[in-house]
Amino acid sequence: LGLPNSLQSLMKSVDSPIIDFYPAHFGMDMNGQRFASSAVALLPFIDNDRLLATLEPLFLTMTSAQQKRNQFGEAVLLL
């Protein structure tokens, strides 16, 4: 499954209008922690309006199965 092809280039292409949301290198705040796995990744804030403006036209290119997968569904409790 994974990310639809029409959206993948947004994370990879240097020409993507939102490539700055996906930095290749970022800082880590150890905040007194001993192991890197316990650190907090210092990532840029995401401009929600710019993200949605970029994604909206691409949603129309998604297949019906991808659009359905992108919706909220019923909550299921597994016991």
Side-chain angles (χ1 to χ4, degrees):
L1 297 173
L3 195 62
N5 291 337
S6 59
L7 303 180
Q8 290 179 14
S9 65
L10 294 174
M11 296 176 73
K12 297 179 183 178
S13 173
V14 294
D15 298 326
S16 169
I18 58 170
I19 192 65
D20 56 309
F21 294 169
Y22 305 99
H25 303 284
F26 52 89
M28 302 280 283
D29 181 0
M30 293 302 290
N31 196 24
Q33 299 300 316
R34 185 174 181 183
F35 302 106
S37 60
S38 301
V40 175
L42 300 175
L43 299 171
F45 286 100
I46 293 180
D47 180 349
N48 192 52
D49 294 333
R50 185 163 59 113
L51 176 64
L52 292 177
T54 302
L55 291 177
E56 267 191 62
L58 296 175
F59 287 150
L60 301 175
T61 66
M62 294 168 50
T63 66
S64 60
Q66 291 169 334
Q67 289 177 0
K68 184 176 181 182
R69 196 174 72 213
N70 198 42
Q71 296 174 352
F72 288 104
E74 290 183 34
V76 177
L77 177 62
L78 303 173
L79 300 174

